Amino acid sequence: MDQYPINKIRNIGFIAHIDAGKTTTTERVLFYTGITHKIGNIDEGTTVTDWMVQERERGITITSATTTCFWTPTYKERTPENAYRINIIDTPGHIDFTAEVQRSLRVLDGAVVIFDGVAGVEPQSETVWHQADKFKVPRMCFINKMDRTGASFENSLKSIRERLTPYAQPINLPIGSENKFEGVIDLIRMKAVYFEGAKGEQVIEKEIPQELLEVATQAHNELIEKICEQDENLLNKYFAGETLPEEELRKILRLSTIKGVIVPVLCGSSFREKGVQPLLDAIVEYLPSPLDLPPVEGVHPKTGETIIRKTDVNEPFTALAFKVMVDPYVGTLTYFRVYSGLLKKGNYVLNATKNTQERISRLLQMHADERKEVDEIHAGDIAASVGLKDTFTGDTLCDPDNPIILEQISFPEPVISMRIEPATKTDQEKMSLVLKRLADEDPTFKISSDQETGETIISGMGELHLEIIVDRMKREFNLNVATGRPQVAYRETIKKTVESEGKYIRQSGGRGQYGHAWLRLEPLQRGQGFEFVNKIKGGIIPQEFIPAVEKGVKEAMDKGVVAGYPMTDIRVTLFDGSYHEVDSSEFAFKIAGSMAFQEGAKKADPVLLEPIMKVEVVVPEQFLGDIVGDLSAKRGKIQEMFDRAQMKVVNAQVPLGEMFGYATKLRSMTEGRGTFTMEYDHYEEVPSNVANQIITGRTKPNN
């Protein structure tokens, strides 16, 4: 692997709402950096990072793709000292594949958030922005599609400032817009930048057009003021009227971007090959290298003490596996980010999360679905390995002599399920193997079985998510399966605190069974999950039986008490009980825990919960009344309505159970002109009349 100094490496991601132009921008980046010699096209299915068959057919990104390129800023001499290595992850924009964005952000040092110049901030823009906030990822904005009818830099910037961050600060401005969009104005160097040649590969600097000089000067002064506010030395020079060196301005802007007190905003049109090179310049100038961020923190797997690893090849090797992929040619590919040390081909590493050893037989530098074999990788790099047996998303790989566990990645729970069965007997065994491989790849894809019917149930983040999974099973693994209608992943919970007793006593000659537990069940706030509290004192139940009680409780929670759905948002406290010197066993206490929970849950006002989705519908004005009426009929709560360009936007919260088939209905209601996006928001209690229908549907006997 070409060795670049760590301060010359950028690990960045392109994140955005669906169809904002992430993949198109990535294609231009690869072309201008010389990695590809032909620009791929989404409509023609020839893009590099959208390499899956399903991505090319649908024109959307499904899996995040990793690629590497090299760049020297356009205004610097092309020398090895001025060259940077950029590791890019192109992420999906569709909410069903949010796990791809989440795990990418966990290992990135910086991000470029791409916006549609017409729509500005869209629902998924907000989601990915808040995900980046959670992982403290420094970012910059790129307002794309400035050539489209209705594009407005001012409106898009306003929506970013109002809905995402007040720190958004333009560092370039558009020259013209819509079909008159010609180039950009560099606000630091105060130059007009044009893109000539067949593919915009020639970057030409000229003087700023006279009619834009006043606006550009005002924006330049505002930017300089914002930069100077961040540095006392620069501020003194500014007030003294001294000339401010360009290098100094760039240095402070870079530090401010890394701290998040300034978010640079650029603009362009990736499809028309305008504005991408200045974006590349800004990526290497202002987004952080691995050295600019705090050292990574973890804990010792045995002692629990905090350990810090600096981004240095001389530190012990530490890496986080953030993605697992099944490659039909090479087997399992594990992507990981190296935080410290160096790793050579043939080395043994410790998977500290699972406490198992893995041998690194092959190291790969990835370019979407193409692979380049390398002998070693260093701190700050992103790479992949083949054939790791026990390593999955979120696992820590490290030097066996210096164990450490990094913070794991948490993922949302699935909200939709469907039945799946093999078409033939011979497909039965193959199906379970294929499902396991797909679940290893995707942490938001879950497999379970219906205890009563023995059917296999698959669960995911949305209809499209499950549709893609089934399509992959058929195409990649030649597995024919039949599927049932999608089902909502309902949950159950309780509304009041109760105490209940579970006693399991069996005498059958010889050694018997004795388990006795008292539990307190309390409702928790939505989204808090399950909590088990051990309040046993004085050894009235021996410590070795307490995990068995918890296990029994969990098993009972999985079955539910209202309609057989898993229970959630409950705190269970084990506070009393008794045991028998001879007859007590783990099995007996597990049964006692299960009995106590079921008994208590039935008395604690159990209710059904349903997933509520955040829905945004964009329609022409003449259809607005019909759409609002239809959403209300679906038990939807309208949150807000506003204008976006020539369209009306309706934001609502609607139960997932009411949204099946909505795409088809929306098309017919709006003559094919309406669009909608939907993402999971929260769980809410089901109204009693609807709950009765669901319970009846679950409990009626099969014909």
Side-chain angles (χ1 to χ4, degrees), residues 75-110:
Y75 41 80
K76 288 190 178 175
E77 191 185 342
R78 283 186 173 273
T79 62
E81 296 76 43
N82 289 335
Y84 292 80
R85 171 197 171 100
I86 310 173
N87 297 319
I88 299 172
I89 298 183
D90 173 29
T91 64
H94 197 289
I95 188 61
D96 282 15
F97 309 106
T98 185
E100 291 287 339
V101 184
Q102 216 156 320
R103 57 183 171 191
S104 300
L105 283 168
R106 172 67 177 80
V107 298
L108 291 173
D109 299 327

Side-chain angles (χ1 to χ4, degrees), residues 449-501:
S449 60
D450 188 313
Q451 300 294 334
E452 291 169 20
T453 63
E455 293 172 320
T456 301
I457 310 288
I458 58 171
S459 307
M461 299 308 295
E463 284 183 272
L464 180 64
H465 187 198
L466 295 184
E467 193 185 308
I468 296 289
I469 294 269
V470 172
D471 195 38
R472 287 187 62 197
M473 290 172 77
K474 289 175 180 173
R475 293 202 200 189
E476 286 177 36
F477 301 99
N478 298 316
L479 181 65
N480 287 317
V481 290
T483 56
R485 189 173 167 272
Q487 305 282 315
V488 178
Y490 292 105
R491 294 282 181 268
E492 299 178 15
T493 193
I494 58 171
K495 292 175 74 175
K496 71 177 187 186
T497 300
V498 296
E499 292 181 355
S500 65
E501 180 185 25

Side-chain angles (χ1 to χ4, degrees), residues 126-175:
E126 292 190 67
T127 304
V128 296
W129 189 275
H130 297 316
Q131 284 176 326
D133 279 340
K134 178 184 166 189
F135 292 113
K136 299 184 174 63
V137 177
R139 68 214 83 145
M140 58 175 57
C141 303
F142 181 63
I143 298 173
N144 190 24
K145 304 193 179 185
M146 286 306 301
D147 59 310
R148 275 187 65 200
T149 304
S152 166
F153 181 79
E154 292 74 22
N155 289 348
S156 296
L157 177 63
K158 186 180 172 198
S159 71
I160 293 168
R161 283 176 168 165
E162 285 177 355
R163 297 173 68 176
L164 301 179
T165 174
Y167 303 123
Q169 190 61 46
I171 62 170
N172 68 22
L173 292 180
I175 300 173

